[in-house]
């Protein structure tokens, strides 16, 4: 009897590229002696794929999935209103920023709803994880299972026994498939392991969370394919010198992207900051020179923060310009516009801009607040502590409209601000209802109106 020949391909152990023939050098990544022959069908597939016949789109629609709260409201918001069973989520962030802490706290939140959580702590020992759990004062640990297994086969073996509702893998770069020759963390390993977790999530309707390392330049480590595979990509960042941390969704198949969650790292783990504006304006209690409040939008959420400027005569032939938390080019642009249209003589000044609290703002709407802070510092005139600003300034000195006008105004109103300076073009976006009589709106057409 004829036996069926198994089709094979040659796979690169470095980049995972395949080739039909053996070659000394991988044509994709250029590495030498890294091609090995492997059967075409995946060598390890733990879960039988369910055969499905195509259905009509209309038939699939009513089956909307229930969402489960993770017990952390800020995380729920970023996920698009809670966790969808069977979803596949990747969290990236710099070392030490608090990824493991966040997921351990989430594990507690989920376990309190009688959900079984399996936390694979492949990076840390069991003692380290349980010490952290003690430090976080986790209650109801009965539904949380931990293991420091790094082998994918063994992880799935445990999964079969535990049958968790949620699987957390900390981190995908430390998990490995033993019948692949490459080291854990290499592209081919990460790709293969991530693929296995994906089919596990989809076939068993278990939510799978992966923690991923980021590279030096802030990109998620591993293949780009990883980001395509998962349903949601979350990024956790913040300045390690400050307690404040931001969680963002960079991709989300179940909700809006750019939604943010705000946390504060404390001795008892991550605390949710449900009122970020109050958090950032905590220390601003009087009229100050060079300090202006900006009504920012992070995701779809208004956030009031302080922008500080310092201008002083320079003793250098090329004056110094420095920013912290803001783009330096924005400072160059605004300084040039102020010099041209308001003639306030900034060209011979050293200029410093700062966003206190470790916040980073990239939004163009910050222009007006930066301009006001620079003018205030140059002229040594304090800015009223109950006024705030937003609007983009273009190169002709006009103030351009911004999005989310109403949300910004409402937040400023909620925090007791009395005067808001904003683009004239936003007038038409406003409904009468939201404005209280106590609020003065100053509609600006051009930068000259600021004086
Ligand atoms: P961790 O979650 O281990 O970060 P990651 O997994 O992203 O590498 O968090 C590490 C940092 O958080 C560590 O520097 C100490 C700090 N931390 C606290 O300040 N308070 C706490 O309760 C915990 C658990 C950690
Ligand atoms: Mg960690």
């Amino acid at each position: 009897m004829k036996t069926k020949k198994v089709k094979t391909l040659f796979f690169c152990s470095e980049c995972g590229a395949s080739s039909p023939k053996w070659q000394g050098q991988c044509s994709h990544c250029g590495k030498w002696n890294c091609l090995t022959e492997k059967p075409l069908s995946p060598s390890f597939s733990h879960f039988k794929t369910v055969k499905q016949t195509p259905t009509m789109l209309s038939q699939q629609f009513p089956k909307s999935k229930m969402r489960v709260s993770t017990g952390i409201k800020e995380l729920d918001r970023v996920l698009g209103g809670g966790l969808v069973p069977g979803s596949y989520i990747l969290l990236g962030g710099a070392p030490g920023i608090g990824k493991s802490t966040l997921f351990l706290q989430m594990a507690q939140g989920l376990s309190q709803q009688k959900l079984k959580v399996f936390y694979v702590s492949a990076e840390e020992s069991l003692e380290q994880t349980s010490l952290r759990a003690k430090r976080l004062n986790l209650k109801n640990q009965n539904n949380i299972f931990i293991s420091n297994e790094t082998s994918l086969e063994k992880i799935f073996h445990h999964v079969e026994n535990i049958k968790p509702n949620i699987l957390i893998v900390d981190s995908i770069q430390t998990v490995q498939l033993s019948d692949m020759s490459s080291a854990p963390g290499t592209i081919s390993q990460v790709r293969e392991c991530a693929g296995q977790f994906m089919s596990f999530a989809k076939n068993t309707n278990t939510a799978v969370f992966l923690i991923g390392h980021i590279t030096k330049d802030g990109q998620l480590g591993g293949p780009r394919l990883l980001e395509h595979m998962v349903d949601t990509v979350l990024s956790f960042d913040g300045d390690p010198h400050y307690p404040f941390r931001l969680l963002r969704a960079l991709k989300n198949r179940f909700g809006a992207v750019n939604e943010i969650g705000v946390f504060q790292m404390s001795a008892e783990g991550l605390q949710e900051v449900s009122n970020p504006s109050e958090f950032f304006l905590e220390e601003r209690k009087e009229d100050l020179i060079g300090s202006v409040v900006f009504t920012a939008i992070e995701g779809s959420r208004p956030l009031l923060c302080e922008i500080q400027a310092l201008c002083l005569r320079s003793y250098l032939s090329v004056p110094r310009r420095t920013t912290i938390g803001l783009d330096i080019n924005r400072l160059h642009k605004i300084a040039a516009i102020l010099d041209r249209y308001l003639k306030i003589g900034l060209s011979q000044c050293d200029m410093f801009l700062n966003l206190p609290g470790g916040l980073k703002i990239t939004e163009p709407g910050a222009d007006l607040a930066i301009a006001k802070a620079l003018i205030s510092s140059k002229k040594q005139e304090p800015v009223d502590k109950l006024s705030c600003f937003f609007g983009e300034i273009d190169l002709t000195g006009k103030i351009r409209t911004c999005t989310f006008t109403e949300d910004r105004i409402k937040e400023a109103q909620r925090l007791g601000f009395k005067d808001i300076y904003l683009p004239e073009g936003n007038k038409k976006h406003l409904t009468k209802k939201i404005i209280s009589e106590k609020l003065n709106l100053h509609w600006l057409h051009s930068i000259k109106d600021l004086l």
Side-chain angles (χ1 to χ4, degrees):
M1 203 177 80
K2 256 195 196 169
T3 51
K4 208 175 159 193
K5 201 180 164 216
V6 181
K7 274 200 183 161
T8 59
L9 276 182
F10 291 85
F11 289 94
C12 171
S13 58
E14 291 295 326
C15 72
S18 63
S19 120
K21 277 192 303 187
W22 187 84
Q23 292 164 312
Q25 186 186 22
C26 170
S27 55
H28 202 75
C29 67
K31 287 266 161 55
W32 288 90
N33 293 329
C34 52
L35 292 197
T36 42
E37 191 172 10
K38 297 243 172 83
L40 189 53
S41 54
S43 51
F44 168 77
S45 182
H46 208 89
F47 294 90
K48 286 174 239 106
T49 46
V50 186
K51 273 191 189 155
Q52 273 185 349
T53 46
T55 43
M56 269 187 288
L57 186 59
S58 53
Q59 283 178 1
Q60 302 248 332
F61 249 62
K63 279 192 185 171
S64 65
K65 290 180 174 173
M66 286 269 293
R67 287 186 188 260
V68 184
S69 166
T70 59
I72 303 177
K73 281 203 199 87
E74 296 290 301
L75 177 59
D76 286 348
R77 176 213 307 279
V78 178
L79 289 175
L83 176 63
V84 177
S87 57
Y88 190 28
I89 294 157
L90 173 68
L91 171 72
I97 207 74
K99 301 180 294 298
S100 310
T101 310
L102 178 69
F103 276 175
L104 204 56
Q105 287 182 234
M106 176 187 78
Q108 135 151 311
L110 289 163
S111 71
Q112 279 175 342
Q113 302 172 54
K114 309 254 169 347
L115 292 168
K116 250 194 239 171
V117 184
F118 183 28
Y119 191 105
V120 180
S121 170
E123 253 172 30
E124 296 176 0
S125 67
L126 294 182
E127 289 78 31
Q128 281 171 317
T129 313
S130 62
L131 265 177
R132 188 198 304 265
K134 206 172 263 167
R135 197 172 156 189
L136 294 175
N137 210 356
L138 293 197
K139 296 167 204 89
N140 193 355
Q141 298 182 12
N142 288 341
N143 275 328
I144 309 175
F145 296 80
I146 55 169
S147 153
N148 63 348
E149 199 54 75
T150 55
S151 145
L152 190 72
E153 291 90 337
K154 289 187 187 152
I155 291 174
F156 279 128
H157 176 74
H158 295 316
V159 163
E160 286 216 326
N161 294 335
I162 298 171
K163 296 202 172 43
N165 304 94
I166 288 100
L167 172 66
I168 301 170
V169 182
D170 182 4
S171 66
I172 182 71
Q173 274 87 359
T174 40
V175 177
Q176 61 172 327
L177 198 57
S178 54
D179 62 353
M180 283 179 85
S181 56
S182 48
T186 51
I187 289 175
S188 48
Q189 278 282 7
V190 170
R191 190 169 72 167
E192 191 59 34
C193 294
Q196 297 290 344
F197 284 123
M198 178 173 77
S199 40
F200 168 66
K202 301 298 162 203
N203 289 331
T204 60
N205 213 19
T206 309
V208 177
F209 286 84
L210 302 181
I211 289 180
H213 293 170
I214 57 165
T215 55
K216 258 188 245 150
D217 51 345
Q219 295 287 320
L220 268 165
R224 258 270 118 84
L225 192 80
L226 192 57
E227 284 160 62
H228 290 296
M229 254 184 222
V230 297
D231 298 317
T232 304
V233 180
L234 304 177
S235 113
F236 202 34
D237 60 359
D239 189 328
H241 299 108
Y242 292 97
F244 155 74
R245 303 277 182 271
L246 266 186
L247 182 71
R248 293 169 197 275
L250 305 180
K251 162 186 171 178
N252 194 357
R253 288 186 183 146
F254 305 114
V257 282
N258 287 331
E259 210 46 89
I260 63 159
V262 187
F263 295 90
Q264 187 181 4
M265 184 59 101
S266 72
E268 288 87 42
L270 289 162
Q271 315 277 338
E272 298 180 58
V273 179
S274 45
N275 266 326
S277 303
E278 281 163 25
F279 181 74
F280 285 110
L281 297 180
E282 211 169 49
E283 287 171 34
R284 197 178 178 280
K285 298 208 165 63
E286 56 202 313
D287 299 359
L288 291 170
I289 293 174
S291 155
V292 170
V293 174
F294 167 47
T295 12
I297 287 282
E298 278 286 346
S300 62
R301 186 174 178 191
L303 187 150
L304 268 63
C305 61
E306 183 186 354
I307 293 183
Q308 297 176 339
L310 182 64
C311 298
L312 64 172
R313 214 195 117 215
S314 179
Y315 293 96
L316 304 167
S317 53
V318 181
R320 197 162 15 160
R321 291 175 180 185
T322 314
T323 57
I324 299 169
L326 287 155
D327 183 9
I328 183 93
N329 291 321
R330 196 168 290 284
L331 173 59
H332 289 312
K333 181 189 97 170
I334 295 166
I337 294 171
L338 290 179
D339 247 1
R340 166 60 65 89
Y341 297 103
L342 301 186
K343 310 222 166 14
I344 57 168
L346 286 172
S347 59
Q348 290 309 309
C349 288
D350 283 336
M351 278 179 245
F352 306 91
L353 278 185
N354 181 28
L355 269 182
L359 194 67
K360 285 191 184 67
I361 294 260
T362 50
E363 200 199 332
D367 287 359
L368 197 60
I370 296 174
K372 182 66 187 176
L374 289 171
I375 296 171
S376 155
S377 175
K378 177 72 174 105
K379 297 196 159 189
Q380 292 290 294
E381 289 168 356
V383 183
D384 175 22
K385 70 172 195 290
L386 294 180
S387 62
C388 58
F389 297 77
F390 68 88
E392 185 184 349
I393 308 173
D394 70 12
L395 293 185
T396 64
K398 299 273 172 299
I399 315 287
R400 300 178 74 100
T401 52
C402 286
T403 48
F404 297 103
T405 319
E406 291 202 355
D407 296 309
R408 296 187 209 240
I409 295 176
K410 269 191 232 158
E411 178 76 353
Q413 201 164 265
R414 189 178 73 78
L415 292 170
F417 281 82
K418 298 271 184 291
D419 294 271
I420 305 181
Y421 295 80
L422 68 173
E424 196 176 40
N426 278 129
K427 228 178 206 171
K428 57 180 182 288
H429 300 145
L430 219 59
T431 49
K432 287 261 162 13
K433 271 185 291 179
I434 72 152
I435 315 165
S436 86
E437 276 154 24
K438 286 185 219 140
L439 198 68
N440 300 315
L441 297 178
H442 304 267
W443 303 101
L444 308 186
H445 172 67
S446 93
I447 186 79
K448 288 181 184 149
D449 301 341
L450 251 192
L451 289 185

